[in-house]
Tab-separated table of all heavy atoms in Angstrom:
chain	number	residue	atom	x	y	z
A	599	ALA	N	129.128	87.684	78.752
A	599	ALA	CA	130.186	87.711	79.779
A	599	ALA	C	130.677	89.142	79.929
A	599	ALA	O	130.797	89.866	78.937
A	599	ALA	CB	131.355	86.797	79.405
A	600	VAL	N	130.935	89.548	81.170
A	600	VAL	CA	131.512	90.874	81.408
A	600	VAL	C	132.655	90.730	82.414
A	600	VAL	O	132.635	89.828	83.257
A	600	VAL	CB	130.474	91.882	81.970
A	600	VAL	CG1	129.346	92.106	80.976
A	600	VAL	CG2	129.896	91.433	83.308
A	601	THR	N	133.604	91.609	82.301
A	601	THR	CA	134.702	91.638	83.276
A	601	THR	C	134.802	93.028	83.889
A	601	THR	O	134.156	93.969	83.403
A	601	THR	CB	136.041	91.232	82.636
A	601	THR	OG1	137.079	91.252	83.614
A	601	THR	CG2	136.425	92.174	81.500
A	602	ASP	N	135.604	93.144	84.933
A	602	ASP	CA	135.868	94.455	85.543
A	602	ASP	C	136.990	95.132	84.764
A	602	ASP	O	137.145	94.908	83.568
A	602	ASP	CB	136.178	94.273	87.036
A	602	ASP	CG	137.376	93.355	87.273
A	602	ASP	OD1	138.035	92.958	86.298
A	602	ASP	OD2	137.670	93.061	88.446
A	603	GLU	N	137.822	95.908	85.418
A	603	GLU	CA	138.896	96.634	84.717
A	603	GLU	C	140.044	95.731	84.305
A	603	GLU	O	140.960	96.161	83.594
A	603	GLU	CB	139.383	97.819	85.566
A	603	GLU	CG	140.114	97.454	86.851
A	603	GLU	CD	139.226	96.881	87.960
A	603	GLU	OE1	137.981	96.992	87.861
A	603	GLU	OE2	139.778	96.282	88.905
A	604	THR	N	139.970	94.444	84.707
A	604	THR	CA	141.035	93.496	84.412
A	604	THR	C	140.696	92.650	83.188
A	604	THR	O	139.601	92.086	83.125
A	604	THR	CB	141.236	92.546	85.617
A	604	THR	OG1	141.336	93.331	86.796
A	604	THR	CG2	142.473	91.690	85.464
A	605	ALA	N	141.652	92.563	82.253
A	605	ALA	CA	141.460	91.663	81.109
A	605	ALA	C	141.549	90.231	81.609
A	605	ALA	O	142.242	89.952	82.591
A	605	ALA	CB	142.535	91.920	80.071
A	606	ARG	N	140.788	89.316	80.983
A	606	ARG	CA	140.972	87.902	81.350
A	606	ARG	C	140.630	86.996	80.176
A	606	ARG	O	139.913	87.381	79.261
A	606	ARG	CB	140.201	87.502	82.613
A	606	ARG	CG	138.804	87.971	82.727
A	606	ARG	CD	138.287	87.727	84.162
A	606	ARG	NE	138.274	88.967	84.934
A	606	ARG	CZ	138.732	89.073	86.178
A	606	ARG	NH1	139.239	88.043	86.785
A	606	ARG	NH2	138.655	90.234	86.803
A	607	ASP	N	141.193	85.795	80.239
A	607	ASP	CA	140.857	84.774	79.255
A	607	ASP	C	139.738	83.943	79.846
A	607	ASP	O	139.916	83.302	80.868
A	607	ASP	CB	142.070	83.895	78.963
A	607	ASP	CG	143.124	84.683	78.197
A	607	ASP	OD1	142.741	85.347	77.203
A	607	ASP	OD2	144.300	84.682	78.590
A	608	LEU	N	138.586	83.990	79.174
A	608	LEU	CA	137.433	83.252	79.671
A	608	LEU	C	137.438	81.852	79.092
A	608	LEU	O	137.509	81.683	77.882
A	608	LEU	CB	136.149	83.998	79.250
A	608	LEU	CG	134.865	83.295	79.664
A	608	LEU	CD1	134.639	83.434	81.157
A	608	LEU	CD2	133.672	83.878	78.893
A	609	ARG	N	137.382	80.877	79.974
A	609	ARG	CA	137.249	79.483	79.561
A	609	ARG	C	135.774	79.211	79.430
A	609	ARG	O	135.022	79.360	80.378
A	609	ARG	CB	137.842	78.584	80.664
A	609	ARG	CG	138.748	77.520	80.152
A	609	ARG	CD	139.220	76.604	81.293
A	609	ARG	NE	138.983	75.230	80.905
A	609	ARG	CZ	137.987	74.488	81.313
A	609	ARG	NH1	137.122	74.944	82.188
A	609	ARG	NH2	137.859	73.249	80.891
A	610	LEU	N	135.377	78.809	78.237
A	610	LEU	CA	133.942	78.634	78.000
A	610	LEU	C	133.663	77.210	77.510
A	610	LEU	O	133.698	76.929	76.316
A	610	LEU	CB	133.483	79.665	76.945
A	610	LEU	CG	132.007	79.714	76.626
A	610	LEU	CD1	131.202	80.185	77.828
A	610	LEU	CD2	131.731	80.632	75.445
A	611	PRO	N	133.375	76.282	78.434
A	611	PRO	CA	133.012	74.925	77.998
A	611	PRO	C	131.589	74.980	77.414
A	611	PRO	O	130.682	75.491	78.064
A	611	PRO	CB	133.047	74.105	79.296
A	611	PRO	CG	133.497	75.046	80.379
A	611	PRO	CD	133.292	76.437	79.881
A	612	LEU	N	131.409	74.434	76.220
A	612	LEU	CA	130.090	74.543	75.552
A	612	LEU	C	129.181	73.404	76.018
A	612	LEU	O	128.494	72.768	75.205
A	612	LEU	CB	130.279	74.539	74.029
A	612	LEU	CG	131.215	75.615	73.485
A	612	LEU	CD1	131.235	75.582	71.953
A	612	LEU	CD2	130.814	77.008	73.973
A	613	GLU	N	129.145	73.177	77.319
A	613	GLU	CA	128.391	72.061	77.882
A	613	GLU	C	126.890	72.240	77.774
A	613	GLU	O	126.132	71.291	77.882
A	613	GLU	CB	128.780	71.863	79.362
A	613	GLU	CG	130.110	71.200	79.567
A	613	GLU	CD	130.285	69.981	78.683
A	613	GLU	OE1	129.439	69.070	78.760
A	613	GLU	OE2	131.229	69.956	77.882
A	614	PHE	N	126.463	73.473	77.619
A	614	PHE	CA	125.024	73.741	77.591
A	614	PHE	C	124.385	73.366	76.251
A	614	PHE	O	123.189	73.125	76.195
A	614	PHE	CB	124.778	75.217	77.936
A	614	PHE	CG	125.679	76.163	77.172
A	614	PHE	CD1	125.342	76.612	75.919
A	614	PHE	CD2	126.876	76.593	77.737
A	614	PHE	CE1	126.169	77.470	75.225
A	614	PHE	CE2	127.720	77.458	77.035
A	614	PHE	CZ	127.359	77.888	75.783
A	615	LEU	N	125.182	73.291	75.185
A	615	LEU	CA	124.603	72.987	73.865
A	615	LEU	C	124.091	71.549	73.825
A	615	LEU	O	124.570	70.686	74.569
A	615	LEU	CB	125.662	73.190	72.768
A	615	LEU	CG	126.215	74.607	72.628
A	615	LEU	CD1	127.296	74.639	71.539
A	615	LEU	CD2	125.109	75.601	72.316
A	616	ASP	N	123.135	71.286	72.943
A	616	ASP	CA	122.624	69.928	72.770
A	616	ASP	C	123.714	69.035	72.184
A	616	ASP	O	124.426	69.446	71.257
A	616	ASP	CB	121.441	69.895	71.783
A	616	ASP	CG	120.176	70.400	72.419
A	616	ASP	OD1	120.189	70.666	73.643
A	616	ASP	OD2	119.172	70.554	71.694
A	617	ALA	N	123.803	67.803	72.685
A	617	ALA	CA	124.761	66.854	72.123
A	617	ALA	C	124.317	66.447	70.721
A	617	ALA	O	123.123	66.473	70.410
A	617	ALA	CB	124.856	65.628	73.026
A	618	GLY	N	125.252	66.120	69.867
A	618	GLY	CA	124.929	65.586	68.542
A	618	GLY	C	124.343	66.597	67.590
A	618	GLY	O	123.688	66.238	66.612
A	619	ARG	N	124.533	67.865	67.886
A	619	ARG	CA	123.978	68.892	67.036
A	619	ARG	C	125.084	69.891	66.730
A	619	ARG	O	125.932	70.145	67.585
A	619	ARG	CB	122.898	69.603	67.837
A	619	ARG	CG	121.704	70.018	67.064
A	619	ARG	CD	120.675	70.546	68.034
A	619	ARG	NE	119.445	70.782	67.312
A	619	ARG	CZ	118.369	71.328	67.839
A	619	ARG	NH1	118.362	71.663	69.104
A	619	ARG	NH2	117.286	71.546	67.128
A	620	SER	N	125.115	70.426	65.529
A	620	SER	CA	126.122	71.467	65.264
A	620	SER	C	125.455	72.832	65.272
A	620	SER	O	124.265	72.948	64.937
A	620	SER	CB	126.824	71.193	63.924
A	620	SER	OG	125.894	71.346	62.880
A	621	TYR	N	126.196	73.792	65.687
A	621	TYR	CA	125.664	75.164	65.822
A	621	TYR	C	126.567	76.130	65.068
A	621	TYR	O	127.774	75.866	64.894
A	621	TYR	CB	125.664	75.622	67.284
A	621	TYR	CG	124.691	74.891	68.176
A	621	TYR	CD1	124.978	73.598	68.654
A	621	TYR	CD2	123.504	75.497	68.570
A	621	TYR	CE1	124.104	72.943	69.488
A	621	TYR	CE2	122.617	74.821	69.423
A	621	TYR	CZ	122.921	73.555	69.874
A	621	TYR	OH	122.055	72.907	70.713
A	622	THR	N	126.005	77.239	64.661
A	622	THR	CA	126.828	78.333	64.182
A	622	THR	C	126.750	79.451	65.206
A	622	THR	O	125.646	79.839	65.615
A	622	THR	CB	126.342	78.834	62.804
A	622	THR	OG1	126.444	77.723	61.884
A	622	THR	CG2	127.206	79.986	62.309
A	623	ALA	N	127.923	79.900	65.625
A	623	ALA	CA	127.969	80.943	66.645
A	623	ALA	C	128.274	82.287	65.994
A	623	ALA	O	129.199	82.380	65.202
A	623	ALA	CB	129.039	80.608	67.686
A	624	ALA	N	127.462	83.291	66.340
A	624	ALA	CA	127.793	84.678	65.979
A	624	ALA	C	128.411	85.301	67.209
A	624	ALA	O	127.756	85.436	68.236
A	624	ALA	CB	126.530	85.427	65.554
Side-chain angles (χ1 to χ4, degrees):
V600 298
T601 180
D602 59 6
E603 66 289 345
T604 310
R606 45 191 103 226
D607 290 312
L608 178 73
R609 227 184 129 258
L610 185 66
L612 305 184
E613 284 314 303
F614 46 86
L615 298 178
D616 284 354
R619 218 173 187 185
S620 66
Y621 292 78
T622 300

